[in-house]
Amino acid sequence: MGGKVLILTYYWPPAGGPGVQRFLKFARYLGEFGWEPVIITPREGSYPYRDDTLLADVPPGLKVVHTSTREPFALYNRLTGKKGKEVPVAMTGFKESRNPIQHLAKWVRANFFIPDARVGWKPYAIRAALQEIARGDVKAIISTGPPHSTHLAGMALRKESGLPWIADFRDPWTTVYYNAFFPRSRRTERVDQRLEDQVLQQADQVLVISSGMADEFRDRARAIEVLYNGFDEADLYTGADEASERFYLAYIGNMKPNQQVAALWRAAAACSNKSPEFKRDFCLQFTGSMDPTIAQAIAEAGLADQLEILPFVPHQQATRLMSQSSMLLLIIPDAKDNERIITGKIFEYLASQTRVLSIGPVQGDAAAILRQAGRSAMLDYGDQTSMEEALLQAHSDWLRGGRMPLRERGGDYLRYSRRGLSEQLAEILNRLCQGPTARGT
């Protein structure tokens, strides 16, 4: 089948962070399977991070249509005492402010912009997409969220054009964990729920990143399928392993308030008390954004001298850190329905083949992926004893191995390659465009 597919995505290089990777990689590989992506994205969006190195990953010849957008973040930041229009990552630091003006600004953000504060991009995205459709040869439309306001543009385009429409969910919508931090009114919650229901019911195909999300949406969606996030073999670090002077337990990404694991900080402190060698070598290293309450809790556990916080780094540098760290740390957010959460980094963690200390729901979707890949089991948030055992064993293995990164090789993780996932998306598009929706019925 094949043809042109419009992709509405708010996050696109030079935006940084995990929200960019999914469709940047699909755009890279879909052409191999007969589909020509056309990207619709804002010219200057509001991003938590910029990563200009990702511009080199945009395929040569790919058509990217940049639009205007209208957003409140410059005003919002002025009210909250910040500059520019950058936005915090997943409400990092949200709960600590006692400034009444900041609380008012957050109330306005929570209740005046539904489903999110990027909804002002919707008319610009629709206009640009209709112009592309008018040029001919467009066979399908994909919207990806968050921001879930992008799906409202997709829904309008489905109605206007009759083309098949795929709504792709990288995160939940109304049940996403950070909504609990927003002062949302009951009216806001009702409106948001109605919009979510409309998108799920009207999309010709819903894509989600985990089976748990599929279960959440299944009774309202016409058709639903799991299309995982993954890893790009071209991004993996292929250099030689290097010994390190310290035993780095590394977390790479954004550390949010609901990733506070007091038992882990106590476990690391207990290991330091039990073993002078562990205390000498151990370093808890975080790269990215960290909620201040977590850094405070780590210091209060007696680990201030063993904590290292590094700023956000470009994606290629992040994958190198994944490969060269002694051991990686994965924490599934401690939130309602977190059995459904699969963080995007889990696939690159697996592909790095570095040993992972994983903490989260032991019967959740992420735990199942670890089992399928033959990796160390997920530990429960409160299982301090197992955390201590894992840390001491890993440190001992690291010393015996000449202070080299610890590896867990083999296992079934190649199914999560970006090329293979792009082939799966192409098959979904082929099937959708051969069905009745392809005729606008």
Side-chain angles (χ1 to χ4, degrees), residues 75-118:
L75 174 60
Y76 172 82
N77 283 347
R78 283 200 296 272
L79 290 173
T80 55
K82 300 175 182 177
K83 296 181 180 180
K85 62 176 182 177
E86 287 74 17
V87 293
V89 178
M91 301 314 298
T92 299
F94 180 91
K95 295 187 288 186
E96 64 198 44
S97 172
R98 298 182 180 179
N99 184 314
I101 294 179
Q102 291 183 342
H103 276 284
L104 174 61
K106 289 163 185 170
W107 187 89
V108 169
R109 178 179 172 184
N111 295 285
F112 276 61
F113 304 98
I114 306 171
D116 51 64
R118 273 88 170 191

Side-chain angles (χ1 to χ4, degrees), residues 338-357:
N338 63 349
E339 296 87 356
R340 301 170 177 170
I341 295 176
I342 299 176
T343 60
K345 69 170 60 63
I346 191 172
F347 302 104
E348 289 183 325
Y349 272 21
L350 292 176
S352 75
Q353 301 190 71
T354 304
R355 189 182 301 183
V356 183
L357 175 60

Side-chain angles (χ1 to χ4, degrees), residues 115-419:
D116 51 64
R118 273 88 170 191
V119 70
W121 181 50
K122 174 187 168 184
Y124 300 96
I126 292 172
R127 187 180 305 123
L130 287 174
Q131 290 172 353
E132 288 302 315
I133 291 170
R135 292 186 175 96
D137 298 329
V138 174
K139 299 291 177 49
I141 301 162
I142 300 176
S143 59
T144 181
H148 294 306
S149 54
T150 305
H151 297 312
L152 303 184
M155 184 164 59
L157 290 167
R158 172 66 175 93
K159 182 177 180 180
E160 180 75 16
S161 70
L163 290 171
W165 164 45
I166 295 175
D168 175 76
F169 288 80
R170 305 188 313 274
D171 279 318
W173 184 329
T174 56
T175 60
V176 69
Y177 74 89
Y178 51 72
N179 275 344
F181 299 154
F182 272 126
R184 287 156 53 95
S185 70
R186 290 186 179 179
R187 175 190 172 276
T188 295
E189 292 175 346
R190 287 196 301 270
V191 172
D192 206 22
Q193 184 66 66
R194 184 169 69 248
L195 292 173
E196 180 189 69
D197 290 344
Q198 289 174 352
V199 165
L200 291 170
Q201 291 162 5
Q202 295 186 33
D204 299 297
Q205 175 74 57
V206 173
L207 298 179
V208 293
I209 63 166
S210 72
S211 59
M213 284 178 64
D215 292 340
E216 178 183 351
F217 294 155
R218 195 178 308 280
D219 64 341
R220 290 171 287 163
R222 290 191 195 180
I224 193 163
E225 189 163 337
V226 177
L227 185 63
Y228 288 110
N229 283 312
F231 68 92
D232 190 347
E233 291 173 285
D235 290 345
L236 301 181
Y237 177 70
T238 56
D241 287 351
E242 299 175 4
S244 58
E245 292 185 4
R246 304 194 69 180
F247 176 77
Y248 288 102
L249 177 62
Y251 182 94
I252 297 142
N254 304 313
M255 178 66 71
K256 301 173 285 293
N258 57 4
Q259 290 175 291
Q260 179 80 265
V261 184
L264 177 59
W265 321 143
R266 293 195 300 269
C271 291
S272 294
N273 291 332
K274 292 177 181 178
S275 167
E277 292 80 12
F278 183 92
K279 183 175 183 179
R280 175 197 66 203
D281 296 331
F282 181 70
C283 181
L284 189 56
Q285 185 185 75
F286 294 90
T287 301
S289 173
M290 172 185 277
D291 188 82
T293 61
I294 295 178
Q296 180 181 350
I298 292 171
E300 289 174 353
L303 299 171
D305 293 338
Q306 295 163 284
L307 173 63
E308 181 176 271
I309 303 175
L310 304 177
F312 172 83
V313 297
H315 186 245
Q316 291 288 346
Q317 191 173 341
T319 56
R320 176 169 182 164
L321 282 171
M322 292 177 193
S323 182
Q324 292 294 76
S325 297
S326 311
M327 188 180 193
L328 295 172
L329 174 61
L330 176 71
I331 300 176
I332 302 300
D334 189 1
K336 183 181 179 182
D337 297 327
N338 63 349
E339 296 87 356
R340 301 170 177 170
I341 295 176
I342 299 176
T343 60
K345 69 170 60 63
I346 191 172
F347 302 104
E348 289 183 325
Y349 272 21
L350 292 176
S352 75
Q353 301 190 71
T354 304
R355 189 182 301 183
V356 183
L357 175 60
S358 302
I359 299 171
V362 296
Q363 297 301 323
D365 289 349
I369 286 175
L370 292 173
R371 287 194 297 272
Q372 291 165 5
R375 302 304 170 87
S376 299
M378 184 81 71
L379 302 181
D380 185 77
Y381 298 101
D383 192 354
Q384 181 177 336
T385 299
S386 294
M387 294 177 198
E388 289 182 33
E389 292 173 353
L391 287 172
L392 290 172
Q393 183 63 58
H395 178 250
S396 176
D397 293 343
W398 176 75
L399 288 175
R400 285 199 304 272
R403 298 173 175 259
M404 304 292 278
L406 299 174
R407 300 297 184 204
E408 288 185 323
R409 302 191 186 279
D412 183 11
Y413 66 90
L414 293 176
R415 67 168 78 179
Y416 306 118
S417 74
R418 297 285 189 181
R419 178 177 276 107

